[in-house]
Amino acid sequence: MKFKIVYADELYKVQKEMNALLIDIRTREEYDRSHWKGALSMPMDITDSYESELDASQSVIFYCTHGGSSMKLARYLGNRGFDTATVIGGYNAMCGYQKKLQKYG
């Protein structure tokens, strides 16, 4: 395994430590409806080759809706020398954590 796993409750910390871009790989429509603050949109449905789109020297954290697609992409690019991570549970977990913070502080 050549990628990192990030839990929603540690996303900001890990993103800062890695100095990583946060990339939303959901469809553009999903991104436009709602996305994580500061995330870039690079939908899997329109980007065939992330290797040519990304700078291998830049760390990236991917997320999708549930975490499966972003894990596959992070693993794939991690095995090709990129410094990658994925958010376990994806956007749903990130929103759940945010709601928990709002409720319990």
Side-chain angles (χ1 to χ4, degrees), residues 43-81:
M44 283 191 79
D45 62 344
I46 62 168
T47 304
D48 293 331
S49 178
Y50 282 81
E51 289 178 85
S52 64
E53 298 285 327
L54 297 172
D55 178 353
S57 67
Q58 173 67 60
S59 299
V60 291
I61 301 173
F62 296 107
Y63 73 87
C64 59
T65 302
H66 301 287
S69 296
S70 59
M71 183 177 288
K72 290 176 188 173
L73 181 58
R75 180 183 298 125
Y76 174 83
L77 291 174
N79 286 330
R80 281 153 183 75

Side-chain angles (χ1 to χ4, degrees), residues 8-73:
D9 64 347
E10 62 183 15
L11 176 58
Y12 286 122
K13 176 184 168 213
V14 173
Q15 185 180 5
K16 187 175 179 179
E17 288 172 355
M18 290 176 66
N19 191 29
L21 293 174
L22 183 61
I23 299 179
D24 184 328
I25 65 168
R26 300 173 305 148
T27 66
R28 185 63 193 203
E29 292 79 20
E30 290 171 303
Y31 178 88
D32 288 343
R33 271 194 306 268
S34 179
H35 60 273
W36 206 252
K37 184 179 178 183
L40 303 174
S41 177
M42 286 185 75
M44 283 191 79
D45 62 344
I46 62 168
T47 304
D48 293 331
S49 178
Y50 282 81
E51 289 178 85
S52 64
E53 298 285 327
L54 297 172
D55 178 353
S57 67
Q58 173 67 60
S59 299
V60 291
I61 301 173
F62 296 107
Y63 73 87
C64 59
T65 302
H66 301 287
S69 296
S70 59
M71 183 177 288
K72 290 176 188 173
L73 181 58

